[in-house]
């Protein structure tokens, strides 16, 4: 096999191979190990020298399926709790295949009116889902990190205006550091965005009243007042990764209005709190933010990778990321914009297709039902662990996060961190469930994130059974 032109008649057959693998793979997910370490040896079989003469589509797809279905981390299944990672709903998976089939250049209206229209509709539906004003601008990004870059870059443009400088055109040279304030709940991706934007990750100052990171509002207000009218950015956090804690966004919005600040909200998974009457109060005030970040490959359960950025004034997006100003890239003329002038990407996959499909397939009611079920599973897991004599919750379950640690009787406090690290390693080696280590409030424990559309109470119960088995083995070796 040489020129791909000679391989064109195999496209349907290659896709057929993948299609035939779908049923057996998905059907086996409930019984599969989340990760089978014994299959890691297969990864070496994907390497070797680059073939001089290609082996063809069918052979290559067969090899990838042979290794991939065995050696992959099966995070699309119901028991991957390690990171805040959803799976991919049936509608989203099929639409993602469609995105690959159509292979649209999704940044320009002229290159794909389809991609532009689907993104416009999907963003409108997301604003309805989250209760955001329809007037907000938006863009789909590869991740929450790039969504933070989008929102905070717009904040940087706004901040430059207040110093009389067009930052997009002239840069930051000669300007003071942009003040950025947050609580102790702030996620590293917000700092990373500031790092990428040239503002400096370490310029962000946090104000916390306790070791959980909850905000010290008087201290935050005092810092804003000390600026004596100079502009600043406040980062609010809707769902931290350790305990699901949320900043009081209404109070943050009040401070932003009082001191003329820009409010940016990190709602990577916490934006979905707006869907349930049980948790909507946690998001009160998010609709007053100037920019908002959310993730699609978390609680929306669309394939990697997908994030969202919403900006109150779309003009800041256009000024920050566009226009191109070259003749071969004409500006959009119509109701759908060129999305590569509203965010950091120029070459853009049509990520909106799976977002549109899953929202259309399940609607508001379906997504609310999924969130409600995950809240129930988190509460159920918390109750099971609370009833276990050798485990303690590190915080009450909030949203989809359950953090806990193994604390058997008779083990000295100074040995518990190492014991919990050993337990986590045993869980990952076992592979039936996947749980992550985390240090919260100064102690080492384990953390579960429950966002996969397949996850039910039975998966939480299996996790507890696995914990009992593995801790018994650890105790036997002690």
């Amino acid at each position: 096999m040489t020129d791909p032109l000679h391989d064109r008649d195999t496209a349907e057959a290659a896709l057929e191979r993948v299609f035939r693998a779908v049923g057996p793979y998905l059907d086996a997910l409930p019984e599969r190990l989340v990760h089978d370490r014994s299959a890691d040896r297969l990864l070496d079989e994907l390497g070797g020298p680059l073939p001089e003469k290609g082996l063809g589509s069918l052979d290559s797809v067969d090899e990838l399926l042979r290794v991939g279905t065995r050696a992959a981390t099966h995070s699309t299944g119901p028991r991957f709790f390690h990171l805040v990672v959803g799976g991919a709903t049936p509608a989203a998976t099929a639409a993602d295949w469609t995105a690959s089939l159509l292979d649209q250049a999704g940044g320009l209206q002229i290159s794909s009116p389809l991609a532009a229209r689907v993104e416009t509709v999907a963003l409108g539906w997301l604003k309805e889902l989250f209760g955001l004003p329809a007037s907000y601008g938006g863009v789909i990004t590869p991740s929450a990190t790039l969504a933070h870059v989008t929102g905070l870059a717009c904040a940087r443009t706004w901040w430059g205006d207040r110093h009389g400088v067009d930052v997009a055109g002239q840069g930051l040279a000669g300007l003071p550091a942009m003040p950025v304030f947050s609580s102790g709940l702030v996620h590293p991706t917000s700092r990373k965005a500031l790092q990428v934007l040239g503002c400096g990750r370490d310029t962000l100052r946090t104000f916390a009243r306790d070791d959980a990171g909850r905000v010290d509002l008087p201290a935050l207000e005092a810092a804003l007042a000390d600026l004596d009218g100079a502009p600043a950015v406040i980062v609010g956090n809707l769902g931290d990764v350790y305990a699901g804690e949320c900043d009081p966004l209404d109070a943050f919005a009040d401070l932003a209005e009082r001191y003329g600040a820009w409010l940016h909200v990190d709602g990577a998974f916490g934006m979905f709190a707006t869907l349930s009457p049980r948790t909507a109060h946690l998001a009160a005030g998010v609709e007053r933010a100037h920019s908002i970040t959310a993730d699609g490959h978390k609680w929306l359960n669309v394939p990697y990778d997908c994030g969202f950025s919403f900006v109150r004034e779309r003009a800041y997006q256009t000024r920050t990321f566009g226009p191109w100003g070259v003749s071969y890239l004409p500006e959009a003329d119509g109701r759908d914009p060129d999305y590569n002038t509203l965010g950091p990407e120029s070459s853009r996959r049509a990520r909106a297709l799976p977002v549109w499909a899953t929202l259309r397939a399940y609607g508001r009611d379906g997504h609310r039902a999924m969130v409600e079920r995950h809240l129930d599973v988190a509460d159920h897991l918390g109750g099971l662990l609370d009833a276990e004599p050798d485990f303690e919750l590190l915080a009450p379950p909030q949203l989809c996060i359950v953090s806990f640690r193994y604390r058997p009787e008779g083990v000295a406090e100074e040995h518990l961190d190492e014991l919990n690290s050993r337990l986590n390693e045993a869980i990952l080696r076992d592979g039936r469930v996947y749980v992550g280590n985390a240090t919260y409030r100064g102690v080492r424990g384990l953390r579960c994130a429950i966002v996969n559309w397949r996850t039910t109470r039975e998966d939480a119960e299996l996790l507890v059974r696995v914990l009992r088995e593995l801790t018994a083995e650890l105790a036997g070796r002690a």
Side-chain angles (χ1 to χ4, degrees), residues 348-384:
R348 305 178 73 249
R349 190 171 187 270
R351 290 186 192 87
L353 270 64
V355 176
W356 177 92
T358 206
L359 290 171
R360 187 179 188 276
Y362 313 113
R364 184 190 301 277
D365 287 349
H367 287 90
R368 180 186 294 117
M370 178 175 64
V371 168
E372 293 277 1
R373 174 163 42 83
H374 290 152
L375 295 174
D376 289 341
V377 172
D379 286 343
H380 183 55
L381 176 58
L384 293 173

Side-chain angles (χ1 to χ4, degrees), residues 133-184:
S135 57
Y136 273 52
V139 66
I140 294 179
T141 64
S143 64
T145 303
L146 267 292
H148 283 315
V149 168
T150 303
L152 290 171
C154 291
R156 187 185 60 176
T157 298
W158 163 88
W159 177 81
D161 286 349
R162 274 139 187 81
H163 288 277
V165 175
D166 176 7
V167 171
Q170 300 172 26
L172 294 168
L175 289 171
M178 184 174 77
V180 185
F181 302 146
S182 189
S183 71

Side-chain angles (χ1 to χ4, degrees), residues 187-202:
H187 192 269
T189 52
S190 292
R191 294 186 185 275
K192 185 173 184 177
L194 292 169
Q195 174 183 340
V196 169
L197 291 169
C199 299
R201 66 175 182 268
D202 296 334

Side-chain angles (χ1 to χ4, degrees), residues 361-445:
Y362 313 113
R364 184 190 301 277
D365 287 349
H367 287 90
R368 180 186 294 117
M370 178 175 64
V371 168
E372 293 277 1
R373 174 163 42 83
H374 290 152
L375 295 174
D376 289 341
V377 172
D379 286 343
H380 183 55
L381 176 58
L384 293 173
L385 291 167
D386 204 34
E388 292 286 323
D390 289 344
F391 288 91
E392 66 174 358
L393 293 174
L394 297 179
Q398 294 187 74
L399 294 176
C400 54
I401 304 295
V402 182
S403 290
F404 61 97
R405 70 169 171 167
Y406 178 42
R407 190 176 187 176
E409 186 176 356
V411 177
E413 184 73 26
E414 61 267 24
H415 299 309
L416 288 176
D417 283 1
E418 190 269 337
L419 181 59
N420 277 271
S421 293
R422 286 170 52 207
L423 175 57
N424 183 240
E425 175 57 30
I427 290 169
L428 300 182
R429 189 167 53 247
D430 177 86
R432 283 174 288 174
V433 294
Y434 237 50
V435 175
N437 250 160
T439 299
Y440 178 64
R441 306 192 81 167
V443 301
R444 193 74 166 159

Side-chain angles (χ1 to χ4, degrees), residues 222-437:
L224 290 165
D226 285 346
L227 294 175
D228 197 24
V233 176
I234 303 171
V235 176
N237 305 283
L238 182 51
D240 90 304
V241 295
Y242 296 106
E245 289 277 1
C246 300
D247 284 324
L249 298 183
D250 254 334
F252 277 29
D254 289 342
L255 289 177
E257 290 179 6
R258 189 176 306 142
Y259 293 96
W262 178 288
L263 175 58
H264 173 78
V265 171
D266 176 359
F269 63 90
M271 277 300 293
F272 290 84
T274 59
L275 274 65
S276 169
R278 294 156 57 181
T279 53
H281 65 282
L282 298 172
V286 69
E287 72 285 352
R288 301 168 60 193
H290 297 85
S291 56
I292 303 163
T293 286
D295 240 342
H297 54 240
K298 290 184 170 62
W299 223 335
L300 189 64
N301 279 252
V302 299
Y304 259 72
D305 47 20
C306 180
F308 316 122
S309 183
F310 302 99
V311 180
R312 184 192 292 181
E313 295 183 46
R314 180 180 291 178
Y316 281 117
Q317 291 179 260
T318 306
R319 287 185 53 207
T320 302
F321 299 107
W324 290 102
V326 293
S327 60
Y328 83 100
L329 296 176
E331 294 182 36
D333 181 17
R335 59 179 172 171
D336 300 313
D338 286 338
Y339 281 98
N340 66 7
T341 66
L342 300 181
E345 287 182 285
S346 300
S347 301
R348 305 178 73 249
R349 190 171 187 270
R351 290 186 192 87
L353 270 64
V355 176
W356 177 92
T358 206
L359 290 171
R360 187 179 188 276
Y362 313 113
R364 184 190 301 277
D365 287 349
H367 287 90
R368 180 186 294 117
M370 178 175 64
V371 168
E372 293 277 1
R373 174 163 42 83
H374 290 152
L375 295 174
D376 289 341
V377 172
D379 286 343
H380 183 55
L381 176 58
L384 293 173
L385 291 167
D386 204 34
E388 292 286 323
D390 289 344
F391 288 91
E392 66 174 358
L393 293 174
L394 297 179
Q398 294 187 74
L399 294 176
C400 54
I401 304 295
V402 182
S403 290
F404 61 97
R405 70 169 171 167
Y406 178 42
R407 190 176 187 176
E409 186 176 356
V411 177
E413 184 73 26
E414 61 267 24
H415 299 309
L416 288 176
D417 283 1
E418 190 269 337
L419 181 59
N420 277 271
S421 293
R422 286 170 52 207
L423 175 57
N424 183 240
E425 175 57 30
I427 290 169
L428 300 182
R429 189 167 53 247
D430 177 86
R432 283 174 288 174
V433 294
Y434 237 50
V435 175
N437 250 160

Side-chain angles (χ1 to χ4, degrees), residues 15 94-106 111-115 118 348-354 356:
L15 290 171
D96 199 56
W97 287 21
T98 305
S100 293
L101 173 67
L102 300 178
D103 194 24
Q104 299 292 279
S111 62
S112 180
L114 167 69
V118 171
R348 305 178 73 249
R349 190 171 187 270
R351 290 186 192 87
L353 270 64
W356 177 92

Side-chain angles (χ1 to χ4, degrees), residues 25-216:
Y25 179 75
L26 295 180
D27 289 345
L29 279 176
E31 308 305 324
R32 283 183 185 273
L33 299 179
V34 179
H35 183 72
D36 182 356
R37 288 191 174 184
S38 68
D40 286 352
R41 58 182 172 76
L42 296 173
L43 299 177
D44 292 337
E45 298 177 24
L46 298 175
L50 173 69
E52 288 296 329
K53 292 187 176 180
L55 303 176
S57 297
L58 300 184
D59 183 84
S60 299
V61 169
D62 285 344
E63 181 68 355
L64 187 59
L65 287 169
R66 182 184 71 83
V67 174
T69 54
R70 296 167 64 187
T73 301
H74 305 300
S75 50
T76 197
R79 299 185 306 279
F80 183 89
F81 305 130
H82 195 305
L83 304 170
V84 190
V85 173
T89 63
T93 299
D96 199 56
W97 287 21
T98 305
S100 293
L101 173 67
L102 300 178
D103 194 24
Q104 299 292 279
L108 290 166
Q109 167 77 15
I110 195 170
S111 62
S112 180
L114 167 69
R117 180 58 52 84
V118 171
E119 187 157 352
T120 298
V121 172
L123 288 166
W125 285 351
L126 286 166
K127 285 182 279 188
E128 288 185 50
L129 189 71
F130 297 141
L132 299 177
S135 57
Y136 273 52
V139 66
I140 294 179
T141 64
S143 64
T145 303
L146 267 292
H148 283 315
V149 168
T150 303
L152 290 171
C154 291
R156 187 185 60 176
T157 298
W158 163 88
W159 177 81
D161 286 349
R162 274 139 187 81
H163 288 277
V165 175
D166 176 7
V167 171
Q170 300 172 26
L172 294 168
L175 289 171
M178 184 174 77
V180 185
F181 302 146
S182 189
S183 71
L185 304 180
V186 68
H187 192 269
T189 52
S190 292
R191 294 186 185 275
K192 185 173 184 177
L194 292 169
Q195 174 183 340
V196 169
L197 291 169
C199 299
R201 66 175 182 268
D202 296 334
T203 60
L204 187 148
R205 293 173 58 194
T206 60
F207 302 87
R209 69 176 191 269
D210 59 24
D211 58 1
R214 299 181 185 96
V215 68
D216 184 339

